[in-house]
Amino acid sequence: PHTRSEGALPLRSRGQVIGALSVQSAKPAVFDDETVAVLQLMADQVAVALDNARLFTESRAAAEAARRAYGELSRRAWEELLRSRPSAGYQADALGITRLEDTSPQSWDETTQMAWQTGQLVKGEPTEAVGGYPLAIPVQVRGTVVGILDAVKPLEAGKWTQEELLQVQTLAEQVGIALDNARLYEDSRRRAGREQLITDITARVRSSMDIETIMQTAIRELGMALGTDRTFIQLVGLPAEAKENRDVQEVDG
């Protein structure tokens, strides 16, 4: 109610007005040209700061959405990969490296199963059967557990130290990265192989202008590519309804 002078200045950023700044005074005629210029400069700086904060929030949200989307794609790809091939496992001891015949979760001990279910490092209690201090570390790829790294420290060596635990966790992280890189490489190689196969078949099919030859080439190449016992190709006429619609369009046209 005591306002005698007021200045309203636009908040401008990147050529757009995103708001307004109102300055009031109890004294009359205090906003001369010089004061208005200073206030507008301040308003522009406020507008840029606000717009930068908005852009930062949007970019962070977009990055998080992309991360979640890629993580979901990676999880599905790993699920498909693990379904398409038998589980693989290896054991290293004084005799060397040997392949494990049974790597199903049902064959795992309690420590390993807990690490698999929780996605966390689990230290087990030493037993005579184990012969040391067991340790299970999940191997994760973007939050998805794709394997378990088991280790047993001899009883005479003592319990796992914090430094050793950190080293093993770092190793498990690097194994996860390496496995995902290998999967991506295999995916890209398969994709390239499919694209090359399609290109080759298409080139052979298009090499002839004869309908019979095209059909025979397509059926032969598809059968060889798919490895099927029988492959069929047949040309068929349009359904009656489709013929009627086509005739109507031709007459109307």
Side-chain angles (χ1 to χ4, degrees):
H2 301 290
T3 297
R4 302 293 301 277
S5 299
E6 181 178 5
L9 306 108
L11 297 175
R12 300 173 301 194
S13 177
R14 297 175 175 86
Q16 293 185 343
V17 177
I18 63 173
L21 176 66
S22 176
V23 185
Q24 301 176 3
S25 175
K27 298 179 180 180
V30 296
F31 299 115
D32 54 21
D33 293 341
E34 183 178 354
T35 303
V36 170
V38 173
L39 291 175
Q40 185 61 67
L41 179 62
M42 182 182 68
D44 291 342
Q45 293 176 348
V46 171
V48 170
L50 290 173
D51 205 23
N52 286 342
R54 177 186 61 82
L55 292 174
F56 175 74
T57 302
E58 290 178 355
S59 63
R60 186 171 57 181
E64 178 63 20
R67 186 190 66 80
R68 289 196 301 268
Y70 186 78
E72 179 64 18
L73 291 175
S74 177
R75 183 185 63 81
R76 292 180 181 178
W78 270 104
E79 289 178 351
E80 181 179 351
L81 176 65
L82 295 176
R83 282 196 303 266
S84 64
R85 64 173 60 183
S87 299
Y90 294 90
Q91 175 179 311
D93 52 25
L95 301 177
I97 299 177
T98 56
R99 184 182 179 90
L100 299 175
E101 296 299 331
D102 186 6
T103 58
S104 61
Q106 291 75 16
S107 65
W108 297 349
D109 58 28
E110 183 179 353
T111 303
T112 305
Q113 289 189 7
M114 187 176 299
W116 177 50
Q117 294 170 358
T118 63
Q120 302 292 329
L121 181 149
V122 178
K123 294 186 292 183
E125 294 297 329
T127 62
E128 294 183 2
V130 175
Y133 296 91
L135 182 69
I137 310 95
V139 177
Q140 303 188 46
V141 175
R142 300 185 182 277
T144 300
V145 178
V146 299
I148 299 294
L149 181 62
D150 284 325
V152 177
K153 188 176 181 182
L155 292 173
E156 60 271 17
K159 296 182 179 181
W160 292 94
T161 65
Q162 289 299 322
E163 182 179 357
E164 291 171 339
L165 294 177
L166 180 60
Q167 291 176 347
V168 176
Q169 284 181 309
T170 302
L171 174 61
E173 293 173 359
Q174 295 302 315
V175 169
I177 294 173
L179 287 173
D180 200 36
N181 289 339
R183 180 192 62 80
L184 291 173
Y185 173 74
E186 289 187 0
D187 287 347
S188 63
R189 187 174 59 179
R190 285 194 299 268
R191 190 179 303 110
R194 290 195 299 266
E195 292 175 355
Q196 184 61 48
L197 179 61
I198 293 173
T199 300
D200 293 342
I201 294 177
T202 302
R204 295 188 182 97
V205 170
R206 290 181 176 178
S207 63
S208 174
M209 299 300 294
D210 179 69
I211 293 179
E212 297 295 332
T213 303
I214 292 175
M215 294 176 64
Q216 293 177 17
T217 302
I219 204 70
R220 181 180 65 251
E221 295 295 335
L222 285 174
M224 294 175 58
L226 299 176
T228 56
D229 295 332
R230 291 193 233 174
T231 309
F232 299 90
I233 184 171
Q234 183 177 356
L235 298 181
V236 296
L238 291 173
E241 182 180 352
K243 286 184 177 180
E244 293 176 0
N245 292 336
R246 185 189 63 180
D247 294 339
V248 170
Q249 290 176 359
E250 289 178 352
V251 171
D252 292 343

